[in-house]
Amino acid sequence: MQTAEFNHLESTFLNMDRRPDTWSVQVEVRVTGRIEETRLRDSIRYATEKHPIARARIQPYGEGAVRYFWDIPEQIDHLPLTVYDARTDKDVAAHRSRLQSIQVPLSLSPGFMIYLVHHPKGDWLMINVNHTMGDGLSTFRIIQSIVRHYAGEPDPVPALDPLSVRDLKKLAGSKTLTQRIERIKLLLDHLDKARNPPTRIKGRGVEVKHPDTLPGYGFELLAFSPKETKQFMARRVKPATVNDMLLAGLALTIKQWNAQHGARNGRTSIMMPVNLRPEDWWFEVVTNFSSYVSVSLPASAQTDFAATTQAVCRQTTEYKEAGAAGVLIDLLELPKLFPAVLKARLKELFPLFAGSLMETTILSNLGRLATSPSMGDAGKITDLYFTPPAPMPAGVSVGAASMEDRMFLTVRYRLAHFDAAAAKDFGALYRQVLLIG
């Protein structure tokens, strides 16, 4: 049996994953036909054999432990597949919500769960990966291996040992004193901005005495047609990226939403994952390689779509030039030697994770993904959805993924923050802002 030490991000996510804020990563695809259960089981086993961390389980540890380790068995402990029949889209949504609201245990291999949902108009293949085990691209890579194997297609991986490239400090840590000083300046700037608490998205439709304790997630799917995707892309003005546009659109959506609901608007802060993988294996290796930066926009910068996009672009360009994604990696060195009993209280002990400093929301964009056009005789892949977690007090996150000539956005929301009608309205407003302004 192989072992691997947790990297900094895995240790952090392990101690952030607390009910009711389960840190699940959602990826799902829809096909036009029917997926056969026995063949799918074989494909899931294949995927766990292909990617070592995909079959890992956490080693038992005591309260005094300062490091965590993965055990990587030759075979998984159980086949994490549940099959359901759904007659309506509402049934599918209920299964999706149930799956992504589960805190997937890490004591058994693998650290993910899969639902196969049969539907008269085409089946859904859904996966919930415990974020401690992998990031968004890892989750997609597992699904990709399953789809390729089921379709009988090749599934090449880079010629490297995936367990030997997990050192985040080597990938993104400060290399020089000058670089460390520049990153400290970025951190201090973030903390200075955080003295002004970020805007919160106004909740709606939740009528319980203590809504923060209400567990579970809901999802609003936004599928853009090829025509709508082209319309959105036509609004791009370089050097702004598609990601800059999505961030700007989300900030404006929040501003308009809060105005419509009589809530305050001010500084909007959006957490954005940044992939630390090198370019030659950008979409490869199952583990956590996504650091985070925060795009912060004062109310004065949230005007029209074009101006807000350029304001975002200036920040993201500065972050790229300064290597800002490495700030978190340097920072996570600090609690590295805390014993487990203290790491479990990371939210209370480490101010950057406190509720008052939590960003307004999270947006994660996987980019344009090279998916198989079909799942063999199960039919063509028509839809692809993804989201990161949406912990309170943010309560809402957005995931983006593109496939061929279409973009797919998903609004994930805590049931403590939105009901389904509110999420539908929020999603419709976001679509409108992106397409029209």
Side-chain angles (χ1 to χ4, degrees):
M1 181 187 299
Q2 293 178 289
T3 62
E5 185 176 353
F6 275 36
N7 67 28
H8 295 344
L9 290 168
E10 290 165 344
S11 296
T12 301
F13 292 138
L14 175 67
N15 291 292
M16 296 292 286
D17 185 20
R18 293 287 182 271
R19 296 181 188 277
D21 281 324
T22 53
W23 281 60
S24 66
V25 181
Q26 172 224 14
V27 169
E28 57 189 76
V29 295
R30 187 179 192 179
V31 297
T32 55
R34 187 175 179 88
I35 299 172
E36 203 277 317
E37 180 182 345
T38 301
R39 287 175 57 192
L40 179 60
R41 289 176 177 270
D42 290 341
S43 296
I44 294 170
R45 289 191 184 93
Y46 162 83
T48 61
E49 293 166 0
K50 193 78 170 179
H51 308 287
I53 295 297
R55 63 177 185 272
R57 59 175 176 252
I58 192 170
Q59 280 188 7
Y61 62 89
E63 290 187 345
V66 297
R67 298 188 296 171
Y68 309 106
F69 291 87
W70 294 114
D71 280 335
I72 306 172
E74 293 298 318
Q75 297 181 334
I76 54 177
D77 297 327
H78 71 117
L79 204 292
L81 175 65
T82 307
V83 182
Y84 292 99
D85 288 305
R87 291 181 295 177
T88 66
D89 290 343
K90 188 175 181 180
D91 293 337
V92 174
H95 293 309
R96 176 182 299 115
S97 178
R98 182 187 311 111
L99 173 62
Q100 299 302 333
S101 300
I102 294 171
Q103 186 179 38
V104 179
L106 296 173
S107 56
L108 288 176
S109 164
F112 63 84
M113 292 183 177
I114 290 179
Y115 280 8
L116 167 60
V117 182
H118 295 303
H119 187 276
K121 295 183 179 180
D123 287 357
W124 292 84
L125 182 63
M126 307 173 174
I127 185 170
N128 168 348
V129 166
N130 187 311
H131 206 335
T132 303
M133 194 197 84
D135 55 19
L137 285 173
S138 298
T139 306
F140 170 74
R141 190 62 185 87
I142 294 169
I143 283 282
Q144 188 178 49
S145 284
I146 293 170
V147 167
R148 286 174 172 174
H149 183 267
Y150 191 98
E153 296 179 359
D155 184 35
V157 295
L160 52 80
D161 176 5
L163 299 181
S164 69
V165 293
R166 291 166 37 80
D167 188 339
L168 296 178
K169 190 174 180 181
K170 185 180 292 186
L171 280 174
S174 294
K175 304 296 190 295
T176 65
L177 178 60
T178 299
Q179 189 176 46
R180 183 175 290 274
I181 291 171
E182 288 301 313
R183 291 180 176 183
I184 289 173
K185 289 179 181 177
L186 287 173
L187 175 60
L188 292 175
D189 179 62
H190 173 77
L191 292 174
D192 182 59
K193 291 175 181 175
R195 291 189 300 170
N196 173 24
T199 294
R200 295 291 169 217
I201 301 171
K202 177 66 175 178
R204 198 187 84 188
V206 181
E207 297 182 3
V208 293
K209 193 170 183 180
H210 300 289
D212 282 5
T213 65
L214 185 67
Y217 288 116
F219 298 81
E220 177 65 19
L221 309 183
L222 305 176
F224 285 61
S225 68
K227 181 179 178 181
E228 289 173 324
T229 303
K230 187 176 181 179
Q231 179 182 342
F232 168 69
M233 294 297 294
R235 305 188 74 189
R236 181 185 171 195
V237 178
K238 294 182 179 180
T241 65
V242 170
N243 202 61
D244 293 334
M245 295 165 67
L246 292 172
L247 288 163
L250 184 53
L252 291 173
T253 299
I254 293 166
K255 181 179 181 179
Q256 292 183 32
W257 175 267
N258 280 358
Q260 291 172 7
H261 292 81
R264 72 172 282 272
N265 275 302
R267 183 179 69 89
T268 299
S269 181
I270 303 176
M271 182 183 290
M272 179 184 74
V274 178
N275 185 12
L276 299 178
R277 294 168 174 84
E279 188 174 346
D280 55 347
W281 41 277
W282 188 257
F283 295 100
E284 298 289 342
V285 184
V286 173
T287 196
N288 273 291
F289 281 129
S290 294
S291 186
Y292 292 84
V293 297
S294 295
V295 174
S296 184
L297 295 168
S300 60
Q302 301 169 53
T303 54
D304 59 69
F305 184 81
T308 307
T309 299
Q310 291 307 310
V312 170
C313 179
R314 287 191 291 272
Q315 281 193 50
T316 57
T317 300
E318 179 187 357
Y319 288 163
K320 291 170 188 173
E321 292 173 350
V327 173
L328 181 61
I329 304 307
D330 290 344
L331 194 62
L332 290 177
E333 283 283 305
L334 298 178
K336 183 178 178 181
L337 298 180
F338 288 3
V341 66
L342 293 183
K343 287 179 179 177
R345 296 184 58 216
L346 189 62
K347 286 184 180 181
E348 297 97 323
L349 296 171
F350 204 37
L352 281 182
F353 296 109
S356 62
L357 294 183
M358 172 66 75
E359 279 74 12
T360 303
T361 188
I362 302 169
L363 184 141
S364 182
N365 179 17
L366 295 186
R368 188 170 300 280
L369 299 171
T371 61
S372 302
S374 74
M375 201 167 170
D377 54 18
K380 182 180 178 181
I381 296 175
T382 60
D383 296 77
L384 168 66
Y385 297 100
F386 151 75
T387 54
M392 296 295 277
V396 177
S397 70
V398 174
S402 296
M403 177 179 67
E404 297 180 327
D405 58 352
R406 298 186 67 193
M407 181 171 68
F408 298 88
L409 303 182
T410 310
V411 177
R412 177 194 285 230
Y413 56 97
R414 275 284 304 279
L415 300 177
H417 199 73
F418 278 166
D419 63 8
K424 187 175 185 65
D425 289 346
F426 185 88
L429 180 60
Y430 190 30
R431 180 195 290 271
Q432 177 183 317
V433 169
L434 292 177
L435 294 179
I436 302 172

